[in-house]
């Protein structure tokens, strides 16, 4: 699956890229930055630097944006770009199958994050005594989601960026 990356290795990604490829990398950079920001909020909560209400302020707006954008991003990839890539580069079917499966697996994490975030939000809004338990649960779910999210961004880039460079911008 890495023949595309071998043909256009990451060291060369600083060269001017097709517009869609550059946009794709920007989107992924945004997801990585949000993930780091959320992990930092979780770490501050665990070290006692934030109380549950402070965690709510530091984490929930970013998490909400992250969930919405990532879900939309995956829909466009699986629904629009990947079918197009399958046609223009039949050799990469197994790679795209893997990325589609990643989307399903990550969707389960996003779902768990959403439900934990809602429970935490309701506990804060209701000034519930178990807000702290919900905060621990949410930050644990965040931890569990992180490795597959980050790995997927890397794996996907290894396939789609060289593919667009070698085969042309799919929107061009
Ligand atoms: Fe993806
Ligand atoms: Fe992506």
């Amino acid at each position: 699956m890495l023949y595309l990356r071998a043909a256009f290795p990451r060291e060369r990604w600083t060269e001017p890229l097709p517009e869609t490829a550059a946009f794709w990398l920007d989107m992924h950079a945004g997801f990585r930055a949000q993930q780091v920001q959320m992990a930092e909020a979780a770490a501050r909560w665990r070290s006692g630097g934030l109380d549950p209400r402070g965690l709510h302020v530091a984490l929930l707006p970013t998490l909400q944006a992250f969930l919405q954008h990532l879900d939309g991003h995956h829909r466009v990839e699986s629904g629009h770009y990947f079918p197009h890539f399958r046609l223009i580069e039949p050799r990469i079917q197994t790679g795209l199958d893997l990325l589609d499966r990643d989307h399903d697996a990550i969707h389960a994490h996003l779902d768990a994050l959403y439900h934990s975030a809602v429970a935490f939000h309701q506990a804060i809004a209701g000034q519930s005594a178990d807000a702290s338990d919900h905060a621990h649960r949410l930050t644990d779910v965040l931890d569990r989601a992180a490795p597959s999210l980050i790995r997927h961004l890397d794996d996907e880039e290894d396939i789609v960026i060289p593919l667009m460079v070698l085969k042309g911008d799919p929107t061009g």
Side-chain angles (χ1 to χ4, degrees), residues 24 28 73 77 156:
W24 208 302
H28 281 193
H73 179 70
E77 289 174 342
E156 186 173 276

Side-chain angles (χ1 to χ4, degrees), residues 24 28 31 70 73-74 77 82 103 152-153 156:
W24 208 302
H28 281 193
F31 294 131
L70 192 59
H73 179 70
H74 284 177
E77 289 174 342
F82 292 176
H103 285 178
H152 172 70
L153 295 174
E156 186 173 276

